[in-house]
Amino acid sequence: MNGPRVLVTGGSGFVGGKVVPLLRSAGVGVRMLAHRRVPAAGPRFEVVQGDLADPVTLDGICRDVDCVLHLASYIGKDEERSVAVNVDGTRHLVAEARRAGVDRIVQLSTAAVYGNGPFRGTVEGAMEPRPVSSTSRSRLAGERFVLGAGGAVLRPYLVYGRGDRWVMPALLRMVRALRSGLPDGGSALLSLTEVGGLAATFTRMALCSPSRRVTGVFHACPPQPVSLRELVGAAHCHLGFPLVAGDQSFEGARRELVGAGCDSHLLDLFAVDHWFDATRLRAAHGWAPDIGLPAGLAAHAAWYRDQLS
């Protein structure tokens, strides 16, 4: 197979499902590691069935590959599975890449590894990660293998768009419960990344020239944060979410959420500053996700309305 070749893990997932078509449309040879859903192969598109938690199935997976995009992860409460996939699986994958002589590895992680916040204009390296869930702890632990191999790790915060089963559904649960107003007037500043822009970033990083290759940790976020109030307003306008009027204290909102049977952790996600500066990625690579929230929600509105109806 002539031309560049990219191995993608998680290629049928939320982010990977947008990356693979972009790579294929660019004429790139794609090898996809598939776990459960195995799509049909095609021209310059090879599908290999395997499991990150089973190193035997990864044997030779990186042979004749120029770049590895590691987009797969386990997100859930099973700590043993988190370690098996996110830590040991990443270790096995990186070992295979090294054996095959692949020196370009780009991993999808999450800014949730920093913990609950507040974070306001935070740059890479300014805060020591303090993950609060087994998923975040294991994803942080897995990063060290990619970084140790000279790879790059991208950390978005909240990613939304077609295929999102978590961010906007969680926001909808929260605004339905907050009848007395948004906590602290909805002033919390948040980094929200549209999935198409994130997929384009991974694609560009996979195909960039050696002179533009980047290593280390990078925040993958738009240049400007949005406030919780702006987020609720945009979700109301484009998705039909309830529009919450007024404001209340953080603790009052917590009591209201608990009283409505919702997890109060929603406040830690949406009502505390989580604004991450992505200047480093733009400076080093010349590109980072930059679509604004109104345009991003508008692009995915039909899908969200159908899924959340």
Side-chain angles (χ1 to χ4, degrees), residues 13-18 159-165 168 193-196 296-297 299-304 306-307:
F14 176 36
V15 177
K18 283 76 176 174
V159 182
Y160 69 94
R162 184 180 182 87
D164 166 31
R165 305 291 181 181
M168 290 301 163
T193 302
E194 188 266 338
V195 67
L297 284 184
H300 300 280
W303 181 87
Y304 271 124
D306 180 63
Q307 295 297 312

Side-chain angles (χ1 to χ4, degrees), residues 83-167:
V83 172
V85 174
N86 301 340
V87 184
D88 295 337
T90 301
R91 175 166 57 86
H92 299 319
L93 180 67
V94 171
E96 285 294 327
R98 282 182 148 171
R99 273 193 285 273
V102 180
D103 61 2
R104 183 179 298 185
I105 307 172
V106 188
Q107 181 185 20
L108 171 62
S109 186
T110 171
V113 300
Y114 293 112
N116 285 337
F119 306 107
R120 198 176 182 95
T122 300
V123 299
E124 297 88 343
M127 299 287 293
E128 189 70 24
R130 292 183 174 86
V132 297
S133 70
S134 59
T135 296
S136 296
R137 284 192 296 271
S138 61
R139 294 181 80 177
L140 178 65
E143 287 182 7
R144 71 177 185 268
F145 300 110
V146 173
L147 296 173
V153 172
L154 267 57
R155 292 177 180 167
Y157 180 50
L158 299 177
V159 182
Y160 69 94
R162 184 180 182 87
D164 166 31
R165 305 291 181 181
W166 186 83
V167 174

